[in-house]
Every structure is written in C-alpha cells, then in structure tokens.
Amino acid sequence: MFEPVIQEISIPDNIILRQQSNVLRKVSCVDGILTTNERIDRNGLNARAHIAGLWGVSSSSHITVQNAKLLVYEAIKNAKMLSCCSKEQQTKKFCHQATSRMPNNNIPRIGYVDVAQAIIIEYVKRIDKYISSTYKNICTRRVMIYVDGIEKFIRTHIYDDLLNSTTKRTCIYIEMGAYNSEGVVTTVAGRMGVPYEIDYWHTLMSDSMIVAERVYKRLIDKTQAQEACKGIFPCILHPDVAGILAHESIGHNVEADMVGKGSFVTRFLGNQIASEKVSITDFAHTAFNESAGLPLFVDDEGTICRDVSIIEKGKLVGYLHDCESAKRYHTVPSGNSRAYLAFDEPLIRMRNTALHPGVDRLADMISSIDHGYYLLSSGGGQADSNGEFIFNVDMGYEIKNGKLSHAIKDTTISGNAVDILSSITMVSNDFIWDVTGLCSKFQSMILATGGPYVKCNLFLGKGVGWYEREYEISLP
C-alpha cells in the first residue's frame, strides 16, 4: 500500500488529479526451470484540466506534493493552449453529474498488500513439483502465477476528501503438453483467479491441483482430437467462452466512445438485438447479491460506479459512459472511465461484463443437440465496430446424438453479434466469473467476464472472414 500525497492540494473546478500505483509480480517455470521472475512497479501522478471542451494533461513519476501542484498548473496551461488553437470553442463545463449520488464514506478503502517474491516462487515450485510427480506421461509443463495490484487516489473539486480505488487479483496458469497420435506435441492450458492477494488465497494449492487435473484430462482427450466440421452448428459455450462472447461481440460496441465512432449498435438502441433469454450487464461491484468478479467503486474521473444494463431480455437498453459522453447523450456517467497506468488517458472501459444466468440445466442442453459442439476454452478474440467477431477455440468436444463425443482440434468461431445473440435458445442456471483476462483497447486493462452455459448457433472454421483486430483478451 502506498501513501497519498494529494489530499491537501486545493483542486480548482474542472480538474481531476490522480495518484496511482501499479504492481505486477510474475513468476513462471517451464519443465522445472525458472524462466520468469518479475517485479514491476509503476507509480505516478496525473492531472487533467478541462477548459473550453478540451483536455490538458500532465503526468509524472515523481510523487511529491510540490510536483502534484506543478502538474495541476501545467495541465491548466496545456488546456488553455489547446483551447486557443482550437477552431471550435466549446463553452460547456465538464461536470460530475453522478459523483454526488453516494457519500464518500461508503466507498471501501482497501489498499493493495504486497507480497514477497520468494513466496510466489515457492508456490510455483510446489505446483510444478506436484504436476511432475503426478502426471508421468506428459512431455512438457508450464506453471505461472501473476499478481496484479492497482491502487488509485483521486481528487476532484466535488469532494474535499480523497476517493480511493483498488483493483487486485492473483492468477494461476497451468499448461501441459503430450504427444498426440501423429507424434506432434499437443498442449492444453487452464487458469484460475481470485480478486485478492496471494497471501489470502488459502486454498491456492488445492485449487491448483483442481486446475491441473482438469488440464490433464482435457490433454489426454485432445491427443486423440479430430478436426471439427466447418459450417454453422448448434454449440454450447462454457461460461468462460460466453463471457468473452459478451465482451467482444457487444461490450466494446456499447462503449460510448465507440458508439460515437460509428458502432453498429446506434441503430439498435431500444430495439430487440438478441433472444429474449439474453440479458447482459456491466456490473460495478455487486452482481446477483454477491461481489462482482473484480469490484470497482469509483472510476478515474471520480464518478461513483453503477451497474449498466446493456441488454434486457434481448433489448438493447444502455451504453457505457464517462462524464463527457454522458453529457453528449443526455444521461449520467456510469463510472466506466478507466486508465491502466498513471500516465494513461482514461478511456471508457468495461469492468465486470456478464451474461445473466437462466433456468436450463447443462445436461438438458447437451441432450438437445443431435450434432454440434461443446466449446470449453478460448485463448482470445477480436471484434470490429460492425458487430463481426472471431476468436479461437482451443478446447472443445463434438456432440453426437445428445452425448459428448471426441475432442476437437483448435478451431475458430465467428459471426455477427446480432445473429449469434438472437440464436440463443437455452441459458443454464450456472454462473462463473473469470478474472484472469487482460483487455487491449488502445491500452491494457484488467477486467472480469462471466456468464452461464449458453446454446447458440456459430460458424466454426475459417470461412466468415478474418476481421481487422481492434480488441483482444489475453494473458498479461
């Protein structure tokens, strides 16, 4: 945990001052050999001034009270300079329409607690030793643990006190490889994450064993994998894949900055865009009466975070907003303005985007399919502003006559967001969060996706088209 230096600084109107600390601890080993041992700390100050519709920004890695005051002065100077150069002067002031909706003392102040690198290394060695001694017929293995912590202090003229925002997670990643029937090494990976520091993950070893066992069983199946058929098939998506589908196909396109750039959703607001079984929400900190995947209480503009209903029973009902876009669309900010580093500009970003669970049972969903696929894992995806998306599937099974058959080789799924979401006919009563992802919309951002199992129609194989990459979810 780091100490704030900006609490005593006088904040003029239309100024946002942010002090931020990012930590990343990463350790990995391959076949028992330590290959990564990283401790990265990136701390800084960021001042933003909004004058005549334009932003002036100044940032520094030198964290002192005097330097914070200087950054405020420089941000104001930069905004004035830009406004003088701008041909289109805007007179409306920047406003925090939603920041007064929750008293500041209701925002939890939970800082990040650092961990000794030796502890992470020891856990990686223990997990690797367990895999090596338990699974004798694999030819390669990889174990990685990464710990993220982002702590921010935010000052605006709205509050006299500090706003605090902390995001943290610990993730394990396990990969195993074995020779398939053709003598080629096949790999399968699995991961799990929690929204707190490694010292508080008391079941880390037992959870690692669960992940390892799941990876091993899938690996053995995949060594006998067959090619998936090419074409449109009924598919059941694991919650991890369903979450990525919500993130890629809809989530980015309802970020208001993307809407302003011509996202396809502009013609659907208030209209049916998906099956009535589909509801999607970008949660702030609480979902279904429990903590959301990676809770966020205040964004980087000092706006108190609120849930955003994106799709309700198939109807598109909302966008994700920062203060500027909210003013443009005559609504209130939603607390989606986020910057990854102190030196980054806050952008409209998702937080905890999830499909709502339904009422169906997974077993009934599988038995309803004569010929289709059960898709368990994806390594990443891409989407464009037209609603077209594509992402890979690195683990799945064919379904024949209502029963799971053989594993399939790596393939892709692609299509149009409206078509896919409209084809959903069954949604399970399960729900799983995935907090391990990293989104790359112009800058990195850790976030959570979630969902139930869903049954929909998808195009498998390269055929619909490879679309220009805009976004991606991947490991850090």
Side-chain angles (χ1 to χ4, degrees):
M1 183 181 297
F2 77 131
E3 295 301 322
V5 301
I6 63 174
Q7 67 270 35
E8 302 300 330
I9 297 175
S10 176
I11 303 297
D13 287 356
N14 299 331
I15 294 291
I16 301 173
L17 181 60
R18 184 173 86 248
Q19 178 182 341
Q20 180 168 338
S21 171
N22 287 60
V23 299
L24 174 64
R25 313 296 185 231
K26 184 189 298 186
V27 175
S28 67
C29 72
V30 177
D31 299 331
I33 300 173
L34 191 67
T35 56
T36 304
N37 183 14
E38 293 182 353
R39 288 181 69 87
I40 301 174
D41 293 82
R42 290 172 286 193
N43 304 324
L45 295 168
N46 182 293
R48 302 172 70 222
H50 191 263
I51 297 176
L54 297 169
W55 284 104
V57 182
S58 185
S59 62
S60 172
S61 59
H62 186 42
I63 301 178
T64 64
V65 174
Q66 183 177 1
N67 199 43
K69 293 178 180 179
L70 177 62
L71 292 180
V72 170
Y73 168 79
E74 290 181 344
I76 294 172
K77 183 177 69 173
N78 292 338
K80 289 180 177 179
M81 178 187 68
L82 290 172
S83 65
C84 290
C85 298
S86 176
K87 294 180 179 179
E88 297 182 6
Q89 292 288 322
Q90 300 182 38
T91 58
K92 290 185 178 181
K93 288 187 176 183
F94 179 72
C95 59
H96 290 81
Q97 300 178 54
T99 48
S100 59
R101 294 196 166 199
M102 181 189 293
N104 189 19
N105 57 13
N106 286 344
I107 302 172
R109 294 193 171 183
I110 42 176
Y112 169 79
V113 180
D114 206 355
V115 60
Q117 198 79 355
I119 294 175
I120 306 175
I121 294 172
E122 180 60 26
Y123 271 120
V124 168
K125 288 181 177 179
R126 288 174 62 188
I127 297 168
D128 178 76
K129 183 178 180 180
Y130 169 80
I131 294 172
S132 176
S133 60
T134 305
Y135 306 108
K136 298 295 185 180
N137 55 340
I138 63 174
C139 65
T140 187
R141 63 190 187 276
R142 181 187 178 200
V143 177
M144 178 170 65
I145 293 178
Y146 55 98
V147 182
D148 285 299
I150 303 176
E151 186 171 7
K152 303 175 183 180
F153 293 104
I154 300 159
R155 289 288 312 280
T156 74
H157 69 280
I158 298 295
Y159 287 127
D160 291 331
D161 201 359
L162 285 171
L163 296 172
N164 175 253
S165 172
T166 305
T167 305
K168 47 192 176 182
R169 66 178 181 178
T170 303
C171 305
I172 55 174
Y173 174 89
I174 295 174
E175 182 179 336
M176 300 184 200
Y179 292 103
N180 63 17
S181 57
E182 300 171 348
V184 178
V185 175
T186 296
T187 60
V188 171
R191 54 193 181 183
M192 180 184 292
V194 294
Y196 40 81
E197 297 92 338
I198 193 171
D199 282 345
Y200 299 101
W201 194 349
H202 303 303
T203 58
L204 175 56
M205 281 307 301
S206 58
D207 286 340
S208 299
M209 293 176 186
I210 292 171
V211 174
E213 183 66 16
R214 181 170 67 234
V215 169
Y216 178 74
K217 287 182 177 179
R218 292 178 179 179
L219 176 64
I220 297 305
D221 291 341
K222 196 172 180 181
T223 58
Q224 304 298 320
Q226 301 177 27
E227 293 284 353
C229 298
K230 180 179 177 180
I232 299 176
F233 294 92
C235 297
I236 295 173
L237 306 184
H238 184 277
D240 289 353
V241 183
I244 296 178
L245 177 66
H247 176 99
E248 294 291 347
S249 65
I250 287 294
H252 280 300
N253 280 295
V254 297
E255 293 168 333
D257 53 348
M258 296 294 103
V259 175
K261 294 178 180 178
S263 164
F264 79 98
V265 300
T266 55
R267 63 182 185 272
F268 285 103
L269 188 63
N271 297 312
Q272 205 74 15
I273 196 174
S275 160
E276 290 186 355
K277 293 181 177 290
V278 176
S279 293
I280 298 175
T281 299
D282 184 57
F283 294 99
H285 48 78
T286 305
F288 314 118
N289 299 317
E290 296 182 354
S291 177
L294 292 170
L296 192 68
F297 292 87
V298 60
D299 77 355
D300 291 351
E301 291 181 331
T303 298
I304 304 305
C305 296
R306 61 179 179 87
D307 297 344
V308 180
S309 182
I310 298 170
I311 295 177
E312 289 183 0
K313 295 183 178 180
K315 183 180 291 186
L316 182 67
V317 296
Y319 300 151
L320 311 183
H321 288 286
D322 61 8
C323 286
E324 274 195 290
S325 70
K327 184 170 59 178
R328 187 180 312 121
Y329 289 94
H330 307 291
T331 185
V332 294
S334 53
N336 285 90
S337 184
R338 307 179 67 191
Y340 185 59
L341 297 174
F343 321 106
D344 287 332
E345 172 191 8
L347 304 174
I348 300 174
R349 308 298 296 268
M350 285 172 274
R351 302 159 306 189
N352 299 279
T353 310
L355 280 153
H356 292 216
V359 298
D360 299 300
R361 296 189 313 129
L362 177 59
D364 296 335
M365 296 167 69
I366 294 174
S367 64
S368 70
I369 295 177
D370 291 328
H371 183 207
Y373 293 92
Y374 178 40
L375 307 179
L376 292 170
S377 176
S378 171
Q382 303 165 12
D384 68 11
S385 59
N386 296 316
E388 308 289 352
F389 71 91
I390 184 168
F391 48 91
N392 75 304
V393 173
D394 49 30
M395 189 67 214
Y397 291 86
E398 189 166 0
I399 301 174
K400 288 185 177 179
N401 301 319
K403 296 181 179 180
L404 294 181
S405 181
H406 57 267
I408 60 172
K409 295 182 179 180
D410 291 0
T411 186
T412 60
I413 54 177
S414 56
N416 176 272
V418 177
D419 294 339
I420 303 308
L421 294 175
S422 297
S423 74
I424 293 177
T425 56
M426 300 181 81
V427 180
S428 81
N429 54 11
D430 310 273
F431 186 87
I432 299 174
W433 282 113
D434 177 13
V435 303
T436 64
L438 188 74
C439 178
S440 302
K441 173 191 170 183
F442 310 123
Q443 57 182 253
S444 299
M445 182 56 66
I446 65 175
L447 47 72
T449 58
Y453 296 89
V454 299
K455 178 185 174 183
C456 62
N457 296 326
L458 285 168
F459 188 98
L460 272 72
K462 301 174 185 177
V464 171
W466 289 89
Y467 307 107
E468 181 181 357
R469 177 181 141 176
E470 290 195 5
Y471 316 115
E472 179 180 359
I473 290 185
S474 60
L475 284 169

